[in-house]
Amino acid sequence: MNDGNLDFNQQNGQQPTAGAQAKTTPAPRLTATALRDIQNQTTNAVLDHVHQLQEAGDLKLPENYAVGNQIKLAWLKILEVKDRNDRPALEVCTKESIANALLEMVVQGLSVTKKQGDFIVYGNKLTFSLEYHGTIALARRFGGVSGVPTGDIS
């Protein structure tokens, strides 16, 4: 059964596959070239997986959602994310967890630039965490909510 997770098996030079468990080895200090390679490999794997899901009819995104643009914007955000010890997420987190966090954002049709979610480091894993604006976006999209009720706080 496909759980939607991506796996990067670099040791055997294989392409990312869906449904595999994440490796627990964090990435070492990254050079500019290594960072670019990780970005290309990760974003391309996520884009390919999203296109496969769309072609199979398993994923329908909002009409105005540009997957490639959202992934690029999210990558810029990931570059800024640090763990609680002030280490960059790209040096601490596994490539699989980075790809899965990006995939989770895209599957939900959300954007980090609209503050609909954020990337958070937990140990050696990067996660996508839904924010208030993301909850509202999903409620409007899937729950038929047209407005957000507000009340006076006394």
Side-chain angles (χ1 to χ4, degrees), residues 4-25:
N5 291 331
L6 299 177
D7 176 39
F8 291 83
N9 190 346
Q10 289 186 314
Q11 296 162 346
N12 297 329
Q14 296 175 347
Q15 290 296 317
T17 57
Q21 295 295 326
K23 306 278 187 271
T24 57
T25 307

Side-chain angles (χ1 to χ4, degrees), residues 85-148:
N85 297 320
D86 207 34
R87 295 179 299 178
L90 290 173
E91 293 180 9
V92 176
C93 299
T94 63
K95 292 178 202 153
E96 293 81 10
S97 70
I98 294 168
N100 287 325
L102 283 168
L103 183 63
E104 184 175 346
M105 179 197 74
V106 170
V107 166
Q108 293 181 46
L110 298 176
S111 171
V112 291
T113 57
K114 293 180 180 178
K115 304 210 183 285
Q116 295 174 336
D118 209 354
F119 296 104
I120 300 174
V121 177
Y122 290 107
N124 68 343
K125 296 186 184 210
L126 186 69
T127 61
F128 179 75
S129 179
L130 190 64
E131 298 286 340
Y132 172 78
H133 294 291
T135 303
I136 299 303
L138 292 175
R140 286 181 176 157
R141 191 177 305 143
F142 299 115
V145 175
S146 59
V148 180

Side-chain angles (χ1 to χ4, degrees), residues 39 43 69-81 90 102 112-113 119:
Q39 177 184 0
T43 57
N69 290 347
Q70 292 303 325
I71 289 175
K72 288 176 186 174
L73 291 168
W75 188 263
L76 294 175
K77 180 70 173 173
I78 290 171
L79 291 174
E80 299 172 356
V81 174
L90 290 173
L102 283 168
V112 291
T113 57
F119 296 104

